[in-house]
Amino acid sequence: MMPRAKLKAQKRDAAQARLAALSLPQGGGWVTRARTAARARLLDMGLPVKRDEYWRYTDPRDLTSDQFAAAKVLKITDEEPAFSAVDRVKLVFVDGVFDALASDDPALAGVEISLLLDVANTDLHWAQDIYGKLEARGQLPVERPLAAFNTAFAQQGVLIRATAKAAKPVALVYLRSHEHADAIMHHIVRVEQGAELTLLENGPVAARFNQVIEAEIGAGGTLHHVRTQGRDHDRAGSAHLFAQLGQGAQLKSFTLTANGRLVRNEAMIWLDGQGGSAHIAGATVGDGAFHHDDTVFVTHGAQGGESRQVFKKVLRNGAVGVFQGKILVEQAAQQTDGYQISQALLLDENAQFLAKPELEIYADDVKCSHGSTSGEIDPAQLFYLRARGVPEAKAKMLLVLAFLAEALDEIADPDLAEDLRGRMESWLQRHS
Amino acid sequence: MLEINNLHAELEDDSEVKILKGLSLTINPGEVHAIMGPNGSGKSTLSYVLSGRDGYEVTQGGATLEGADLLEMEPEERAAAGLFLAFQYPVEIPGVGNMTFLRTAVNAQRKARGEEELSAGEFLKIIRAKAKELQIDADMLKRPVNVGFSGGEKKRNEILQMAMLEPKMCILDETDSGLDVDAMKLVSDGVNALRDAGRSFLVITHYQRLLNHIKPDFVHIMSEGRIIKSGGPELALEVEENGYADLMAEAS
Amino acid sequence: MVALDETQLREGVDRETVETVQSMAGTYKHGWETDIEMEFAPKGLNEDIVRLISEKNKEPEWLLEWRLEAYRRWLTMESPDWAMLKIPEIDYQEQYYYAKPKSMVEKPKSLDDVDPKLLETYAKLGIPLKEQMILAGVEGADEGRKVAVDAVFDSVSLGTTFKDELKKAGVIFCSISEAVQDHPDLVKKYLGSVVPQNDNYFAALNSAVFSDGSFVYIPAGVKCPMELSTYFRINAENTGQFERTLIVAEKGASVSYLEGCTAPKRDTTQLHAAVVEIVILEDADVKYSTVQNWFPGDENGKGGIYNFVTKRADCREDRAKVMWTQVETGSAITWKYPSCILRGDDTQGEFYSIAIANNWQQADTGTKMVHLGKNSRSRIVSKGISAGHAQNTYRGLVSMHPKATNSRNYTQCDSLLIGDKCGAHTVPYIEVRNASSRVEHEATTSKVDDDQLFYCRQRGMDEEEAVALVVNGFCKEVLQELPMEFAMEAQALVAISLEGSVG
C-alpha cells in the first residue's frame, strides 16, 4: 500500500478501535439519528494524527485516546471566578454534568433553554436543524473528527434559543471535582432574526474535555460569546465553535486561556448572508507545560461581509502557542473585508510559536490582509520606560498588557474586558 | 471645441440618483470657461462623465469634442482626441515612476494620433524644461506617481502632465483645493502659460480666488445638475460677495 | 547631474520595456519548434533506462548506483498532494527520459562545431552563443557586460561560452555531464549534499534520470568575472527535461547566475523536474535569478509544461549569502520553492518572487527559510498576480530553530487579482523556537485599482497597457533585484503574460 492509503487505513482502524467499546447514548428520534450519522462520519474519517496537515503542530493523541491522564483540581482562593460580578443566569456543570441545584432558574434569561438530556424524543424543530448539522458542514474542507466524536457521544449540553434580546447573559459555569472526569458537552444556540444573546463560559471543565457549540445567528441577530478556560494546569481538551451567520448577523467570540497542558480551540465560521460580521479573538498566557492551539476558519460566502481574527499569545518557559487561521473568500463574496493577526510574545528562550495564517481568495474586489509576528519584548521600549523611571518588572507588565490589548478590544462589553484584563495582569504577576 | 448639449446623467448603480439634469455648454477654441457652484451641484460628475469614468449612466443629451462624439469613446480615446482632466484627487500609483508613466502616456497618445513616438532622449529634454518651469525637481520625476506627494506637489504634477500632453481641451477639477497661496500662483502660472488660441479650458471651482489667477472669459453657475446662470468674470465676484443662495433662489 | 544620469539609465530599461511589449503583439513568443533529428531512449522508465542514461553520459559506477538508489526510493513515494494544485495523473511510462539531437551524439569540440540549426534556435530566442556577439550592452551603461551561457537543449548541453576566460579566473562553468568526467571529486563531494536523492518525489525522479544541467565552481576568494547563465529549451515532444544544476561557491567567492527557460507550444503537456543545489561556504555569496517562461498552455488550458522544481541553497558556513530572484510567468503548473538553509552564523537568505498566472495556469510557489545559525537574516518579498481562471498560491516556511538566536525574518506577500474567476492564496508556515528571533509576516490581497486604471486611461493608455503599467509597479520591489538584462525581459513578460486578462 502506498503511504497515503496506508495512513488513511491506520486512522480508520484507530477510530474503529476507539469506538468498539462505546455505544451511542440512549435516546431516540432526531438526536439518535444525528448521533448515528456522526458516528459514521467519524469511522469514515478516522481519528486525527499528527501527520494530518492541521495537526502538524499539535499532537492529538491525548485527545483521542481512550486513556487520559488524571488532572489535579486547582483550588483557587486568590481571585473570584470570572464573570462573578455579572448579572447572569448561571447554568452549572460539574465535571461536565449538569447540576440543577447549583444553577439558576433558566427562565430568568428570557430565552428558551432546554437540556440535551431531555430532548431525545421531543419535537424541537429548530434544534434538529442545527444539532450535528453545522458540525457536519464543518468537516469540509478540513476534517474535524473530534467534533464528530462529540456529536455522536455527547449527552450533556444546553439548547438555547433567543427570539428577542435576552434579559440576561446565559453563563455556563464549568466546575471540576474529580481528577479523572472525561467530559463531552454539546451546546446549540439559535439567535433568531434581530435577537441578541450573550453567552458566557468559564471554568476548567474536566480533566479531559471535548466541547462543541453549534450556533446559528439569523438575519440581524447578534451573539456575544466570551469564554475563559480556567487556570487548572494538567487538563487537556478541545473546544469547537461552529457558527453560521445570516444577513447582517454579528458574532463576537473571545477566549482567554491561561494554563492547561493541552488546549485546542477550533472555530469554523460561515458568513452566509450579506453584510455579516464575525470577530474571533483570543488571548493566551502560558508558562511551562502548556500547549495551546487556536485553529480558526472564517468563510465568506456572501457579499459585503467583514471578519477579524485577533490572537495574542504570551508564552514562557517552554510553553507552545499554535495559531492556524484561514480567511476563505468565495467567488460570490465580493467587497469582503477580512483581517487576521496572530502574534506571540516569547518571554524566554524556550517558548515556541508555530503559525499557519492562510488566505484563500476567489473574489477580486476584496480587501484582505493578515499579519503574524513573533518576538521578545522590544528592548528599546523597555529601556525607554525604565529611563523614565518605571521599574523593570512593571515596565514589562505594561508592555505585555499593551501587547494583549488588541485582542481584548474585541470584547464588546468594557466591564467584561476590564475583568479579563485584570485576570491576565494577576497571571503575569504570579508568573513573573 | 467642446459642445455639451442637454446632458443628463445618473449613478449607474442607483438610477434614483440623478446628477446632471440637462446641462448645456459651448466652449470655443481659445476660451476659458469657469463653472462655479455649491457642493453637490454635479461639478465633478461633469468632469468624470466627460472623461469617461465608470459609474455614471448618460440618459439623455450628448457631448462632442471638435465634432466627435465624446461619449462613444473609451477614456484613452478621449485623451488622444485632446481631452485632459486635471483630477481633484490625483491617484497614487505605487511602483510606477512618474517619468515612466508620463512617457508611456505621451507615446500612447502620439501613437494613437499616428505620430512618431518620442525617444528617451527627446522626452527627457522636454520634460526637464517643463519641470523646471513648475519647480518640479528631478527627484519628484523619479518617485512613483503621486506617492508621498504633498497636495501642492500633486497639483503641480497634474499641470506638468498637461504641459507634456499638450491637450486641446483642459478640464481643471477643483485644482485650487488644498493649495496655499504660493502653490496656487505656481499652478496658475503653469496653466496661463498654456493658454493659446487653439486650446480651451474649463475651470471647475468652488471659490472665486482661483479665478483671480486664471482669468476666465465666461463664468457659469451650476446648481442641481444644470447651469442656472452665465455671465462674464463679474459673475464670479458676485458669488464671492453674496454666496450661491441668492442665485439659486433666483433660478428656482 | 548624477541623479539625472541615473534617471536616464532607469528610463533606458523602461523604454526598452515599452518597445518590447509593443513589438510582441502575439501571445507566447517562443512557441515554435526546431525541426531536427533526435536520438531517443525508449519510452518509459525502469532501471534499464536509468542505466542507459548513465551509460550515455559515461558515468562512473558510483553515480549509476546513486541513480538506481534514487529510482528505487522513487518507486515507494507518492506525488505530493498538499499543494493547491490540481495535477492530472501523469503516466511516467508515456514519457521519454532521454532525447539528444543526433548531431550531438559525438560531442562537438567547441560551439563552432555545433549543428547550425541548434545555434539558430538560440539566436532566435535572443541567446547569442557566439562569443563575439555576446556583449549584452545596456544603453546608458558605460560598458557592455559579458554573460557566459550554457545552452541546454532537451537532455543535453550544447556547449558553454567564455570557458577559457572563466578558466583563467579559476572558475569552472560547464555541463554537469562534463563535470562528472573532468571534476569527479567535486561532483561526488557536493552532488546530493543539499537536496538528497529522496528529498521529495520529484527530486528522487530527477536524481534517477537527470541527463544534463550546469555545473559551477567558484574557487576561494574569486569574484566571478562575468554573469553565468543557463538557457533551457525543451524541444522534443513527450520528453521530460530533468536537469540538475550544482553551484559551489568556496570561501569568499561570489557569483551571479541567471536561468531562462522556454518550450514550444504543444497541446500535450510536458514534464520538467529539475533540481538546483547551491553550496555556499564562508563569506561567499550567490545570486540566482530565474525568468521562467515555459509554455503555459493555451487560453483553454491545453498543453503547457508541468514544472516541478526543487531548488535549495545551503549557506553552510558563517556569513554565507544567497539571493533567489524569480519571475514565474510560464508553465501550466508550477510547483517550486527555492529554499535557503541558513546553517552558518550571520548567514543571509533572500527570496524575491513574481508569479503570474493567467488563463488556466496554476502556480504553487514560495520559499523556505530555515534558520539554524545565530544572527541569521532572511527576507521574502512575494508578488502574486492572478488573472483569467488561474490559481496562484504563495507557500512559504520560516523556521527559527532553538539555536538560531537573534535571527530575523521579514516576509511580505502581496496578491493581486484581475477578474473574478481566479484565485489568490497565501499559505505561510511560521515556526519560531527561540525568543530572541524576530519574525514578521505581512500579506495583502487586493485587485487592480479602478482609480489607477482610469487615471492611466485618462492620460491616453489603453486598458491592457494601463494594467501592465500598474502591475509592473506592483512588482517593482522584485524587478529591481534582477540583473539589468533580466529586468527588461521580465517587465516585458509581465505585460505579455497578462494579455487577454482584461475586458
Side-chain angles (χ1 to χ4, degrees):
Chain A
M1 218 189 294
M2 287 306 262
R4 282 199 287 270
K6 197 168 153 194
L7 181 66
K8 183 74 187 173
Q10 282 168 354
K11 290 173 55 156
R12 283 182 174 160
D13 289 349
Q16 200 62 260
R18 175 77 175 98
L19 299 197
L22 298 174
S23 43
L24 291 183
Q26 296 295 305
W30 60 268
V31 181
T32 296
R33 282 197 299 279
R35 285 171 177 154
T36 309
R39 185 176 188 277
R41 272 200 293 282
L42 177 62
L43 287 171
D44 180 53
M45 288 185 270
L47 289 183
V49 292
K50 201 155 186 289
R51 282 172 63 191
D52 290 336
E53 175 62 23
Y54 287 91
W55 288 97
R56 60 165 54 223
Y57 296 134
T58 298
D59 191 336
R61 262 179 308 186
D62 287 354
L63 303 174
T64 57
S65 158
D66 51 359
Q67 309 286 319
F68 64 95
K72 227 191 290 156
V73 178
L74 184 72
K75 294 268 177 269
I76 294 173
T77 52
D78 55 1
E79 65 185 0
E80 289 288 307
F83 314 131
S84 299
V86 178
D87 183 14
R88 58 191 167 151
V89 174
K90 264 183 8 181
L91 302 173
V92 179
F93 293 79
V94 180
D95 294 323
V97 177
F98 183 67
D99 183 342
L101 289 176
S103 300
D104 294 329
D105 175 3
L108 296 174
V111 295
E112 296 170 26
I113 296 178
S114 331
L115 294 174
L116 184 59
L117 268 178
D118 303 335
V119 297
N121 277 310
T122 61
D123 191 20
L124 282 180
H125 281 286
W126 70 269
Q128 295 184 40
D129 294 341
I130 299 176
Y131 191 89
K133 295 286 195 312
L134 272 55
E135 172 260 300
R137 184 183 181 190
Q139 300 298 345
L140 280 173
V142 175
E143 293 174 346
R144 296 159 208 279
L146 291 171
F149 181 90
N150 181 297
T151 301
F153 295 102
Q155 303 185 54
Q156 294 285 334
V158 290
L159 289 64
I160 307 169
R161 180 178 180 226
T163 50
K165 190 176 192 312
K168 290 180 180 185
V170 176
L172 307 177
V173 178
Y174 307 123
L175 305 178
R176 290 189 57 205
S177 69
H178 287 293
E179 292 196 352
H180 289 283
D182 189 9
I184 307 173
M185 278 184 286
H186 194 122
H187 309 301
I188 64 176
V189 176
R190 183 173 164 92
V191 179
E192 298 288 355
Q193 186 169 347
E196 188 177 337
L197 174 71
T198 298
L199 180 68
L200 305 175
E201 296 181 275
N202 73 291
V205 191
R208 182 169 77 174
F209 61 88
N210 178 336
Q211 288 180 290
V212 166
I213 298 176
E214 293 175 290
E216 186 173 349
I217 310 170
T222 302
L223 175 63
H224 296 287
H225 174 227
V226 184
R227 168 167 69 181
T228 71
Q229 295 183 303
R231 279 168 49 187
D232 289 27
H233 291 279
D234 305 330
R235 76 222 144 90
S238 69
H240 288 78
L241 169 65
F242 298 92
Q244 165 174 305
L245 280 72
Q247 188 175 342
Q250 287 187 50
L251 167 68
K252 277 191 162 217
S253 174
F254 174 91
T255 303
L256 166 63
T257 309
N259 309 337
R261 185 166 54 82
L262 170 63
V263 179
R264 163 104 157 188
N265 292 329
E266 296 199 25
M268 186 70 188
I269 315 296
W270 299 275
L271 295 159
D272 291 340
Q274 285 192 13
S277 161
H279 292 202
I280 313 297
T284 299
V285 286
D287 185 352
F290 173 83
H291 186 110
H292 180 81
D293 178 330
D294 283 302
T295 294
V296 180
F297 276 57
V298 175
T299 302
H300 287 261
Q303 225 177 334
E306 186 248 355
S307 70
R308 288 172 67 84
Q309 301 173 32
V310 181
F311 287 86
K312 303 272 185 158
K313 298 173 194 286
V314 176
L315 305 164
R316 60 174 305 168
N317 194 18
V320 179
V322 176
F323 174 77
Q324 305 183 102
K326 180 181 270 195
I327 306 175
L328 196 163
V329 180
E330 292 175 354
Q331 200 178 330
Q334 295 289 1
Q335 284 100 46
T336 285
D337 184 351
Y339 172 74
Q340 179 197 72
I341 182 97
S342 56
Q343 294 182 299
L345 197 57
L346 307 184
L347 297 181
D348 56 40
E349 279 296 338
N350 298 321
Q352 294 185 31
F353 178 55
L354 310 167
K356 187 185 176 199
E358 292 176 84
L359 300 174
E360 185 173 342
I361 297 176
Y362 299 94
D364 61 337
D365 189 8
V366 299
K367 214 173 73 193
C368 284
S369 64
H370 70 200
S372 184
T373 66
S374 173
E376 55 191 353
I377 289 178
D378 182 349
Q381 291 179 347
L382 188 62
F383 174 74
Y384 186 76
L385 284 171
R386 293 174 72 189
R388 293 286 174 274
V390 182
E392 183 172 356
K394 176 76 186 162
K396 277 188 175 163
M397 171 82 73
L398 281 174
L399 291 171
V400 175
L401 288 171
F403 169 81
L404 291 166
E406 189 186 1
L408 282 163
D409 286 347
E410 293 297 330
I411 303 173
D413 181 334
D415 292 339
L416 285 183
E418 185 48 38
D419 179 19
L420 298 195
R421 202 198 68 89
R423 278 164 204 282
M424 283 191 268
E425 187 167 347
S426 314
W427 186 93
L428 290 167
Q429 264 154 4
R430 288 194 300 273
H431 293 264
S432 60
Chain B
M1 175 70 66
L2 180 69
E3 183 91 44
I4 306 171
N5 183 24
N6 192 30
L7 192 63
H8 287 71
E10 60 194 30
L11 283 187
E12 202 171 64
D13 288 346
D14 187 353
S15 60
E16 293 299 297
V17 184
K18 312 216 183 288
I19 308 176
L20 300 181
K21 303 170 187 168
L23 186 138
S24 297
L25 179 65
T26 301
I27 301 178
N28 294 309
E31 290 178 355
V32 176
H33 289 238
I35 287 192
M36 302 182 70
N39 290 329
S41 58
K43 300 190 302 286
S44 284
T45 298
L46 175 63
S47 70
Y48 289 143
V49 169
L50 291 177
S51 57
R53 183 180 167 133
D54 282 345
Y56 305 97
E57 180 85 40
V58 173
T59 53
Q60 235 193 90
T64 57
L65 184 69
E66 294 189 305
D69 186 349
L70 264 185
L71 305 182
E72 282 298 303
M73 296 187 230
E74 293 295 314
E76 60 270 26
E77 292 167 344
R78 302 181 200 207
L83 183 78
F84 180 92
L85 171 63
F87 285 60
Q88 183 179 0
Y89 305 107
V91 178
E92 300 184 0
I93 311 181
V96 176
N98 216 2
M99 289 262 261
T100 308
F101 174 76
L102 249 176
R103 212 190 48 249
T104 309
V106 167
N107 281 337
Q109 291 201 22
R110 293 179 74 97
K111 201 176 153 198
R113 293 195 291 256
E115 297 165 15
E116 188 82 355
E117 294 184 13
L118 288 180
S119 74
E122 289 166 306
F123 177 81
L124 203 62
K125 217 161 84 188
I126 300 171
I127 198 167
R128 265 190 224 160
K130 307 231 182 209
K132 204 173 159 196
E133 285 166 25
L134 285 158
Q135 299 183 17
I136 288 172
D137 58 22
D139 181 55
M140 220 171 112
L141 291 176
K142 276 200 304 186
R143 275 153 57 192
V145 181
N146 293 324
V147 177
F149 285 25
S150 71
E153 283 174 333
K154 281 183 182 170
K155 295 299 167 77
R156 263 150 57 203
N157 198 27
E158 292 291 288
I159 305 306
L160 173 69
Q161 293 180 23
M162 191 197 286
M164 288 301 296
L165 293 167
E166 301 183 325
K168 294 174 189 151
M169 180 69 231
C170 309
I171 304 173
L172 278 61
D173 187 8
E174 308 242 356
T175 293
D176 50 334
S177 68
L179 292 189
D180 61 25
V181 183
D182 290 337
M184 182 139 57
K185 174 125 189 6
L186 204 60
V187 166
S188 307
D189 289 349
V191 172
N192 288 330
L194 290 169
R195 285 178 74 159
D196 70 37
R199 183 173 290 135
S200 311
F201 289 84
L202 179 60
V203 182
I204 295 174
T205 181
H206 189 77
Y207 300 106
Q208 192 269 337
R209 55 177 192 170
L210 179 66
L211 304 180
N212 288 336
H213 300 281
I214 304 173
K215 295 259 182 337
D217 302 309
F218 301 97
V219 174
H220 310 277
I221 307 300
M222 190 168 169
S223 172
E224 303 206 356
R226 283 183 305 121
I227 287 173
I228 55 167
K229 189 166 186 177
S230 298
E234 72 287 348
L235 191 54
L237 293 168
E238 195 184 320
V239 169
E240 181 76 355
E241 202 105 313
N242 306 326
Y244 290 108
D246 288 355
L247 285 167
M248 285 160 72
E250 203 177 296
S252 58
Chain C
M1 285 317 285
V2 171
L4 274 170
D5 287 341
E6 267 176 32
T7 309
Q8 203 158 10
L9 198 65
R10 266 272 163 247
E11 286 299 301
V13 175
D14 295 338
R15 182 171 63 84
E16 203 69 42
T17 308
V18 173
E19 282 164 6
T20 320
V21 172
Q22 281 159 353
S23 69
M24 293 175 173
T27 44
Y28 191 70
K29 192 187 155 202
H30 307 297
W32 42 272
E33 65 182 288
T34 308
D35 184 16
I36 196 159
E37 255 194 286
M38 299 294 287
E39 182 194 65
F40 289 98
K43 225 181 212 182
L45 184 53
N46 52 50
E47 291 203 2
D48 287 342
I49 291 289
V50 175
R51 286 177 206 281
L52 182 103
I53 294 168
S54 185
E55 195 187 306
K56 290 271 178 201
N57 286 343
K58 301 187 180 71
E59 286 171 358
E61 188 60 24
W62 69 264
L63 190 49
L64 174 62
E65 280 310 314
W66 193 82
R67 285 176 181 274
L68 287 170
E69 198 183 314
Y71 174 70
R72 288 166 196 149
R73 288 302 294 266
W74 180 73
L75 289 175
T76 69
M77 298 166 90
E78 281 171 294
S79 187
D81 66 343
W82 38 260
M84 288 181 77
L85 299 171
K86 290 198 179 81
I87 307 174
E89 185 131 8
I90 297 165
D91 187 345
Y92 289 91
Q93 298 308 331
E94 273 304 305
Q95 303 273 335
Y96 291 104
Y97 290 84
Y98 190 79
K100 186 178 198 172
K102 281 234 164 102
S103 60
M104 296 293 291
V105 170
E106 273 310 308
K107 202 165 176 89
K109 288 197 177 56
S110 79
L111 270 169
D112 296 335
D113 301 331
V114 168
D115 183 344
K117 238 182 197 172
L118 289 170
L119 294 180
E120 241 169 63
T121 304
Y122 284 83
K124 204 166 160 188
L125 290 166
I127 315 295
L129 296 180
K130 294 218 179 270
E131 295 188 5
Q132 64 271 29
M133 287 164 58
I134 307 173
L135 285 171
V138 176
E139 205 188 332
D142 288 333
E143 55 180 24
R145 271 189 293 170
K146 287 178 190 170
V147 180
V149 180
D150 181 18
V152 178
F153 190 88
D154 290 327
S155 302
V156 292
S157 167
L158 301 183
T160 311
T161 60
F162 289 107
K163 258 188 171 163
D164 294 341
E165 195 171 332
L166 289 168
K167 205 170 172 185
K168 263 180 239 154
V171 171
I172 304 171
F173 180 40
C174 62
S175 73
I176 197 138
S177 55
E178 278 174 74
V180 169
Q181 306 302 326
D182 302 344
H183 311 282
D185 294 348
L186 285 174
V187 175
K188 193 169 181 181
K189 182 169 177 191
Y190 292 111
L191 185 74
S193 75
V194 184
V195 179
Q197 287 144 297
N198 58 347
D199 187 81
N200 65 69
Y201 185 74
F202 299 115
L205 176 63
N206 174 285
S207 300
V209 302
F210 77 87
S211 43
D212 220 332
S214 301
F215 176 75
V216 175
Y217 178 81
I218 318 285
V222 171
K223 184 175 180 340
C224 187
M226 64 184 84
E227 300 204 330
L228 306 182
S229 125
T230 300
Y231 197 90
F232 296 101
R233 175 75 176 171
I234 298 180
N235 191 62
E237 200 158 3
N238 291 327
T239 301
Q241 188 165 35
F242 305 94
E243 83 272 3
R244 188 143 192 136
T245 299
L246 176 58
I247 300 175
V248 179
E250 288 276 8
K251 185 173 175 176
S254 169
V255 65
S256 169
Y257 181 91
L258 324 171
E259 173 198 64
C261 348
T262 59
K265 255 184 190 172
R266 300 186 191 287
D267 49 16
T268 51
T269 52
Q270 278 179 288
L271 186 61
H272 174 251
V275 171
V276 175
E277 296 181 90
I278 308 181
V279 178
I280 310 170
L281 302 182
E282 200 174 309
D283 290 308
D285 73 274
V286 174
K287 181 172 175 165
Y288 192 108
S289 312
T290 305
V291 172
Q292 187 265 106
N293 187 22
W294 295 119
F295 179 53
D298 67 12
E299 61 279 7
N300 299 313
K302 278 204 89 166
I305 301 289
Y306 291 174
N307 192 33
F308 303 119
V309 175
T310 305
K311 292 183 167 177
R312 197 171 300 154
D314 187 352
C315 291
R316 211 162 267 185
E317 294 179 357
D318 295 351
R319 294 174 302 282
K321 270 167 78 172
V322 64
M323 180 199 242
W324 296 102
T325 306
Q326 62 171 25
V327 178
E328 302 283 319
T329 62
S331 298
I333 298 176
T334 300
W335 180 99
K336 179 182 170 188
Y337 316 93
S339 305
C340 305
I341 312 295
L342 303 172
R343 203 180 300 276
D345 292 346
D346 301 291
T347 46
Q348 193 174 311
E350 288 173 87
F351 175 77
Y352 296 92
S353 170
I354 297 169
I356 300 182
N358 193 2
N359 295 321
W360 295 89
Q361 282 177 270
Q362 304 179 63
D364 193 297
T365 182
T367 185
K368 292 181 187 177
M369 294 290 174
V370 180
H371 291 253
L372 301 170
K374 291 185 193 57
N375 307 316
S376 46
R377 299 277 182 274
S378 66
R379 183 180 169 84
I380 298 170
V381 178
S382 162
K383 305 279 180 177
I385 296 126
S386 316
H389 293 83
Q391 300 297 329
N392 199 341
T393 303
Y394 167 82
R395 184 181 302 275
L397 166 71
V398 173
S399 171
M400 297 286 183
H401 279 243
K403 286 183 178 150
T405 50
N406 287 307
S407 298
R408 296 281 179 272
N409 163 266
Y410 175 75
T411 301
Q412 172 79 43
C413 292
D414 296 317
S415 303
L416 199 62
L417 291 135
I418 303 174
D420 61 359
K421 304 276 187 299
C422 52
H425 319 302
T426 312
V427 189
Y429 296 80
I430 300 161
E431 304 176 359
V432 188
R433 296 192 158 88
N434 76 70
S436 57
S437 292
R438 178 150 193 89
V439 176
E440 283 176 81
H441 170 100
E442 284 174 39
T444 64
T445 302
S446 53
K447 70 166 184 166
V448 175
D449 188 84
D450 286 338
D451 287 338
Q452 291 176 355
L453 290 185
F454 176 65
Y455 193 66
C456 294
R457 294 179 74 193
Q458 208 300 308
R459 297 300 183 251
M461 299 171 215
D462 69 31
E463 202 170 353
E464 286 200 343
E465 205 172 353
V467 168
L469 189 85
V470 170
V471 171
N472 262 317
F474 173 77
C475 297
K476 199 80 184 183
E477 268 174 281
V478 175
L479 288 170
Q480 69 195 12
E481 299 298 339
L482 284 167
M484 190 71 86
E485 304 84 335
F486 259 32
M488 292 189 283
E489 191 183 335
Q491 286 200 26
L493 261 182
V494 167
I496 291 163
S497 306
L498 289 170
E499 268 177 20
S501 65
V502 293

